[in-house]
């Protein structure tokens, strides 16, 4: 942006001065474009406003206290005897996310190493396309796959596995986040300058030494950022968990049990018919606000890591 | 990095490192190859997963079934070739003849679109392959038939002779391809055999057209503003930061925004327009990011030349920058469309219906969409609906692969590596 200041039309030369009509038109165009940019800000404002208004309404309800919301161990807003502790949903969310990270991060990092250090340009282009297609598979399709292909397969291996379980949802979600981890980490590794690699070879390092002790440490900020971003995607993922992990809030870390996550509760509450303004309907907003806060925090952390810990090689 | 002390754990240079045939070099080369393979493995796994997913979807879109035709003899087999329309009309003609209509009455009935629709809905005509005694013959079944067993493609091939031997009189062993021509036009139904994609396809097309109409001007406008107009001020940085955060807001949260603002707030109700508005907000960041990259790739010399000819800023944007960035912008729009086409959660929250009995007739009518229909069918507790869901997924994936192929080709053609 700054670099193009020199391209601005020269207004000081009288012969080139814009007429009044031209000036008005230029201002109009700029105003319209600015309006577009402002709408993107308004989207965020609207999200925050909507979530905040209903969530405040939720906590103003005499049946709810913030303390109970954070510490109660059961979540039954759709039942007649409501208890509203978000812990089962949070634990469920992070259980699925954890499984997804365990599956997705090592694979994503390994494929990033392969793409950045081993593959030639042609192979890299093809592979990137495959990963991009994988990232573009709609999550409802992945949910179908987890429920109807992966779960029956796992049930033969894992005893006591429920039809709806976080294990198969997490496994499939691991493949969903693989492209996120891989593409950002590949970029970070490719940004490691050649001079560092050559210095490593000059010291007699093997390719493995080089990857493990030069490239990975130098690209660490990008790698960590990619993992946090993948985590944020996994936390916000809805359809895989709705279809394959179930909709029964249960405070457990047993990956064979049917659980519920924040997102699957939102879908469950929204597709049932809860009249607007009731506590059950507002609980949806409270959960969504929690979800939004968690993902926003993860994004902010990821951006901060990139900014602060980026190695500069000038 | 440069200030750091050298890592002492790096192995010291060995004297044999310039000995290409030495044992040490051979070991190094072997380790290096092993390491390369090990890191490449996840890519193979991911490709394998894609292949298994496709295989599963495609084979699940077929099933072997034992059916008991329950329609007083209207079960015809054809050995005379593969003519969709012709076959269908012969079937309906025979069906009506059974009911005692004359040939003139039948001709008249066939001219009436509503009657055609009703017969089309009742008789699944297109393709159901009768397997008893090869070669396969076409079978007509109707919603009144009973479906007794359901075997997967592989199971059916393995147990074909056994199943055929056990058939009782009046039963047929058929190969049911759930994804046939009629599947695209049939309406929703509570019966799996009769359920089709008609309303979902129309709903998705309407959504996509509206999303393009709304998100492209908004996204490209924002990108042009940020790249060509904005100074590096705090407010510009706020817009950029906001965009990168918006790109990673979970889609279900957009759904809640749509539900609260468009459906309830301005009182649109669960209609096509509300869904399209929600999806547009969701894909705007995708369009902005792609458009910014494309605009940045337009060389500054072109702009300077235009200014030199006396063009104003808006003229430069409209006649130089945008025409030169159009390939990159189109790529971004295609990817955004692919994203919008597969998004389920926002539409579920906005209230897209799982069961829409007829086609939506405007942007203010209730609607369903491909992913919603898939979700509804997968959630049905019925193995036959699983096949319907697979058929729908096959259609959705085919559309997405075409879109991705277009995007990749555009990107390659215009020489920009993403």
């Amino acid at each position: 942006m700054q670099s193009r200041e020199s391209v601005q039309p020269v207004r000081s030369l009288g012969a080139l001065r814009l007429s009044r009509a031209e000036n008005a038109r230029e201002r109009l165009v700029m105003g319209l474009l600015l309006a577009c940019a402002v709408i993107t800000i308004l989207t965020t404002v609207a999200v925050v406003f909507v979530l905040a208004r209903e969530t405040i309404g939720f906590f103003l309800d005499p049946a709810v206290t913030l303390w109970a919301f954070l510490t109660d161990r059961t979540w039954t807003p759709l039942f007649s005897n409501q208890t509203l502790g978000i812990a089962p949903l949070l634990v469920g969310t992070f259980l699925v996310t954890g499984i997804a990270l365990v599956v997705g991060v090592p694979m994503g990092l390994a494929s990033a190493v392969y793409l950045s250090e081993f593959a030639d340009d042609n192979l890299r282009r093809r592979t990137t396309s495959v990963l991009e297609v994988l990232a573009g598979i709609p999550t409802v399709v992945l949910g179908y796959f987890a429920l109807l292909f992966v779960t029956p397969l796992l049930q033969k291996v894992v005893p006591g596995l429920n039809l709806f379980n976080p294990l198969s949802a997490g496994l499939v979600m691991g493949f969903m986040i693989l492209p996120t981890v891989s593409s950002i980490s590949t970029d970070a590794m490719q940004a490691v300058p050649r001079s560092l690699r050559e210095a490593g070879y000059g010291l007699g390092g093997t390719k493995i030494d080089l990857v493990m002790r030069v490239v990975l440490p130098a690209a660490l900020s990008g790698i960590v950022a990619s993992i946090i971003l993948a985590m944020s995607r996994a936390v916000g993922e809805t359809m895989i968990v709705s279809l394959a992990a179930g909709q029964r809030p249960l405070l457990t870390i047993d990956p064979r049990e049917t659980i519920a996550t924040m997102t699957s509760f939102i879908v469950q509450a929204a597709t049932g018919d809860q009249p607007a303004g009731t506590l059950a309907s507002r609980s949806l907003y409270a959960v969504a606000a929690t979800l939004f806060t968690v993902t926003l925090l993860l994004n902010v952390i990821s951006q901060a890591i990139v900014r602060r810990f980026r190695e500069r090689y000038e | 990095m440069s200030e750091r002390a050298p890592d002492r754990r790096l192995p010291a240079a060995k004297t044999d490192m310039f000995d290409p045939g030495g044992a040490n070099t051979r070991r190094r080369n072997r380790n290096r190859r092993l390491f390369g393979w090990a890191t490449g493995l996840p890519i193979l796994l991911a490709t394998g997963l894609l292949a298994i997913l496709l295989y599963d979807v495609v084979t699940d879109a077929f099933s072997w079934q034992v059916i008991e035709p329950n329609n007083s003899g209207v079960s015809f087999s054809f050995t005379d070739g593969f003519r969709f329309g012709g076959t269908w009309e012969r079937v309906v003609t025979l069906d009506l003849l059974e009911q005692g209509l004359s040939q003139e009455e039948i001709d008249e009935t066939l001219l009436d679109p509503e009657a055609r629709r009703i017969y089309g809905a009742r008789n699944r005509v297109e393709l159901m392959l009768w397997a008893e005694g090869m070669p396969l013959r076409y079978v007509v079944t109707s919603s009144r038939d009973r479906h007794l067993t359901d075997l997967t493609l592989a199971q059916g091939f393995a147990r074909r002779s056994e199943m055929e031997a056990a058939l009782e009189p009046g039963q047929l062993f058929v190969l049911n391809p759930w994804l046939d021509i009629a599947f695209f036009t049939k309406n929703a139904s509570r019966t799996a055999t009769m359920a089709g994609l008609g309303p979902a396809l129309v709903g998705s097309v309407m959504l996509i057209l509206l999303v393009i109409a709304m998100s492209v001007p908004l996204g490209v406008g924002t990108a042009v503003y940020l790249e060509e107009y904005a100074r590096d001020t705090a407010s510009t940085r706020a817009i950029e930061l906001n965009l990168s955060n918006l790109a990673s807001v979970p889609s279900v949260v957009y759904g809640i925004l749509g539900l609260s603002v468009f459906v309830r707030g301005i009182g649109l109700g669960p209609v096509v327009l509300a869904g399209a508005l929600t999806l547009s907000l969701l894909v705007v960041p995708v369009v902005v990011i792609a458009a910014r990259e494309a605009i940045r790739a337009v060389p500054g010399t072109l702009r300077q030349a235009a200014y030199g000819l006396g063009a104003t800023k808006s003229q430069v944007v409209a006649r130089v920058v945008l025409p030169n960035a159009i390939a990159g912008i189109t790529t971004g729009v295609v990817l955004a469309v692919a994203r919008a086409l597969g998004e389920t959660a926002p539409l579920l929250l906005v209230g897209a219906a799982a069961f829409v009995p007829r086609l939506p007739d405007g942007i203010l009518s209730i609607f369903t969409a491909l992913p919603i229909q898939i979700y509804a069918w997968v959630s049905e507790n019925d193995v036959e609906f699983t096949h319907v869901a697979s058929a729908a997924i096959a259609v959705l994936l085919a559309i997405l692969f075409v879109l991705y192929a277009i995007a990749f080709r555009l990107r390659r053609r215009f020489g920009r590596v993403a």
Side-chain angles (χ1 to χ4, degrees):
Chain A
M1 271 162 294
Q2 305 98 309
S3 61
R4 283 203 206 98
E5 293 298 315
S6 57
V7 187
Q8 300 286 328
V10 187
R11 284 157 199 262
S12 56
L13 296 177
L16 292 177
R17 188 164 291 147
L18 298 176
S19 72
R20 186 166 295 208
E22 277 177 322
N23 237 328
R25 201 187 59 197
E26 291 301 303
R27 278 167 195 278
L28 179 70
V29 170
M30 177 163 168
L32 285 176
L33 295 174
L34 180 61
C36 291
V38 168
I39 288 178
T40 63
I41 296 264
L42 285 182
T43 308
T44 310
V45 173
V47 168
V48 173
F49 173 75
V50 163
L51 292 182
R53 192 188 58 187
E54 295 287 326
T55 307
I56 290 170
F58 173 76
F59 283 115
L60 286 181
D61 193 293
V64 187
T65 61
L66 182 61
W67 178 249
F69 184 69
L70 295 175
T71 57
D72 261 4
R73 297 160 71 91
T74 51
W75 176 260
T76 54
L78 307 181
F79 295 172
S80 50
N81 60 335
Q82 292 171 323
T83 52
L84 297 156
I86 199 171
L89 297 183
L90 272 178
V91 170
T93 300
F94 282 101
L95 178 61
V96 179
T97 304
I99 297 171
L101 289 178
V102 166
V103 175
V105 168
M107 292 208 302
L109 286 187
S111 59
V113 168
Y114 183 78
L115 288 177
S116 137
E117 307 299 317
F118 289 94
D120 57 35
D121 279 348
N122 194 24
L123 187 60
R124 184 179 305 134
R125 209 187 50 230
R126 282 161 197 271
T127 316
T128 314
S129 310
V130 170
L131 290 179
E132 211 169 327
V133 169
L134 181 63
I137 301 270
T139 52
V140 67
V141 176
L142 293 177
Y144 153 94
F145 185 66
L147 177 65
L148 295 169
F149 186 85
V150 178
T151 300
L153 211 63
L154 285 177
Q155 276 176 328
K156 291 180 186 157
V157 189
V158 183
L161 189 69
N162 275 300
L163 175 60
F164 299 105
N165 63 81
L167 187 59
S168 73
L171 278 177
V172 172
M173 206 190 277
F175 280 91
M176 182 198 88
I177 62 171
L178 189 157
T180 309
V181 177
S182 171
S183 77
I184 300 176
S185 298
T186 307
D187 288 347
M189 289 179 197
Q190 285 189 310
V192 175
R194 206 187 150 104
S195 56
L196 280 187
R197 293 162 205 264
E198 284 175 353
Y201 281 129
L203 290 169
T206 62
K207 185 102 184 176
I208 303 177
D209 293 327
L210 207 69
V211 169
M212 292 307 200
R213 302 193 189 176
V214 177
V215 176
L216 286 183
L220 194 61
S221 71
I223 291 171
V224 173
S226 81
I227 294 171
I228 294 177
L229 208 61
M231 192 170 163
S232 143
R233 284 203 59 194
V235 167
E237 168 42 41
T238 310
M239 297 321 294
I240 300 179
V241 286
S242 296
L243 281 172
Q247 300 179 334
R248 184 182 64 167
L250 188 69
L251 188 64
T252 176
I253 51 164
D254 183 349
R256 298 172 305 172
E257 289 287 347
T258 299
I259 53 140
T261 66
M262 292 191 279
T263 49
S264 78
F265 170 75
I266 292 173
V267 166
Q268 185 192 9
T271 48
D273 29 32
Q274 309 298 329
T278 62
L279 190 59
S281 143
R282 283 194 169 132
S283 70
L284 181 159
Y285 287 88
V287 173
T290 315
L291 173 70
F292 181 72
T293 313
V294 170
T295 52
L296 187 68
L297 267 181
L298 289 172
N299 294 331
V300 169
I301 293 172
S302 146
Q303 283 160 7
I305 287 175
V306 169
R307 260 202 310 278
R308 177 160 307 180
F309 298 103
R310 182 163 46 202
E311 305 273 358
R312 293 186 191 280
Y313 306 104
E314 272 94 44
Chain B
M1 200 73 199
S2 50
E3 290 121 309
R4 231 174 258 174
D7 190 340
R8 281 193 211 90
R9 286 167 306 170
L10 271 179
K14 297 201 175 93
T15 43
D16 64 356
M17 67 183 289
F18 298 113
D19 172 18
N24 205 14
T25 313
R26 277 208 305 277
R27 201 198 53 202
R28 278 180 167 211
N29 281 340
R30 197 195 59 218
N31 284 348
R32 180 197 160 126
R33 264 201 310 277
L34 279 178
F35 190 61
W37 272 105
T39 54
L41 196 63
I43 293 169
L44 285 180
L45 278 177
T47 319
L49 183 98
L50 264 182
I52 293 173
L53 174 65
L54 286 182
Y55 169 83
D56 185 47
V57 166
V58 171
T59 55
D60 242 18
F62 292 87
S63 70
W64 292 92
Q65 294 186 319
V66 174
I67 60 168
E68 204 168 78
N70 184 26
N71 48 5
S72 62
V74 192
S75 216
F76 309 97
S77 62
F78 294 95
T79 48
D80 58 348
F82 202 119
R83 288 179 48 241
F84 291 115
T87 310
W88 185 85
E89 263 157 28
R90 278 184 64 187
V91 168
V92 174
T93 309
L94 287 169
D95 192 5
L96 293 175
L97 278 173
E98 291 269 330
Q99 294 175 22
L101 272 73
S102 71
Q103 187 64 45
E104 290 82 49
E105 285 170 316
I106 293 170
D107 289 343
E108 215 166 282
T109 312
L110 284 178
L111 288 175
D112 177 13
E114 183 58 19
R116 286 182 74 99
R117 201 183 63 75
I118 291 169
Y119 283 106
R122 200 175 71 200
N123 293 312
R124 184 178 155 85
V125 178
E126 241 62 60
L127 281 172
M128 188 178 280
L129 304 167
W130 186 13
E132 188 186 320
M134 292 293 158
L136 300 170
R137 284 178 283 172
Y138 302 109
V139 174
V140 182
T141 67
S142 80
S143 55
R144 291 160 291 175
D145 293 350
R146 286 176 61 213
H147 294 237
L148 301 175
T149 24
D150 188 277
L151 299 177
T152 64
L153 199 57
Q155 277 177 338
F157 274 117
R159 297 176 53 189
R160 203 175 70 210
S161 50
E162 177 199 339
M163 296 302 293
E164 279 169 9
L167 284 184
E168 282 167 24
Q171 293 181 342
L172 294 174
F173 187 52
V174 298
L175 177 63
N176 189 346
W178 296 86
L179 179 59
D180 60 8
I181 301 288
F183 182 63
F184 290 90
T185 52
K186 281 184 294 191
N187 283 345
S189 170
R190 306 272 184 218
T191 319
T193 343
M194 296 297 136
L197 269 188
L201 276 177
V202 174
S204 275
V205 168
M206 288 171 77
L207 278 177
I208 292 304
L209 291 180
L210 287 171
V211 165
I212 292 176
M214 290 187 283
S215 67
V216 171
L218 200 56
V220 175
T222 307
V224 168
Y225 177 77
L226 287 174
E227 287 298 316
E228 301 288 326
Y229 285 86
R231 308 283 163 84
D232 190 17
T233 60
S235 57
T236 305
R237 276 199 299 275
I239 293 174
E240 292 184 325
L241 190 66
N242 176 53
L243 272 171
S244 67
N245 280 325
L246 272 184
S248 42
V249 169
S251 60
V252 68
V253 173
Y254 281 98
I256 289 180
L257 177 69
L259 174 69
S260 314
V261 174
F262 303 130
V263 178
R264 290 184 189 155
I266 56 177
L268 281 177
V271 297
V272 181
L273 184 60
L277 281 166
T278 310
L279 287 182
S280 299
L281 292 183
L282 176 73
V283 299
V284 159
V286 181
V287 178
V288 173
I289 290 166
R292 286 189 74 178
E293 245 176 78
I295 290 171
R296 222 174 288 157
V298 175
T301 48
L302 287 184
R303 294 186 184 83
Q304 284 161 355
Y307 284 128
L309 290 170
T312 64
K313 188 143 198 163
S314 65
Q315 286 169 332
V316 171
V317 167
R319 301 191 198 169
V320 177
V321 175
L322 287 182
N324 278 291
I326 195 74
I329 293 175
T330 313
T331 312
V333 170
V334 173
L335 292 177
V337 164
R339 170 100 194 268
L341 201 54
E343 275 297 345
T344 320
L347 294 182
L348 273 181
L349 266 93
V350 168
F355 187 85
V356 177
R358 58 202 164 70
L359 302 182
D361 52 9
I363 59 172
L364 292 179
S365 89
I366 61 160
F367 72 108
T368 185
L370 270 174
I372 297 294
Q373 201 69 80
I374 292 169
Y375 176 71
W377 284 335
V378 174
S379 311
E380 287 276 349
N381 217 347
D382 177 350
V383 70
E384 288 203 312
F385 270 108
T386 312
H387 299 303
V388 183
S390 299
I393 289 175
V395 173
L396 176 61
L397 288 184
I399 299 173
L400 288 181
F401 286 144
V402 169
L403 287 177
Y404 272 92
I406 293 172
F408 290 157
R409 174 152 297 205
L410 272 175
R411 200 150 64 187
R412 273 257 286 288
R413 164 91 65 90
F414 294 95
R416 200 174 52 83
V417 181

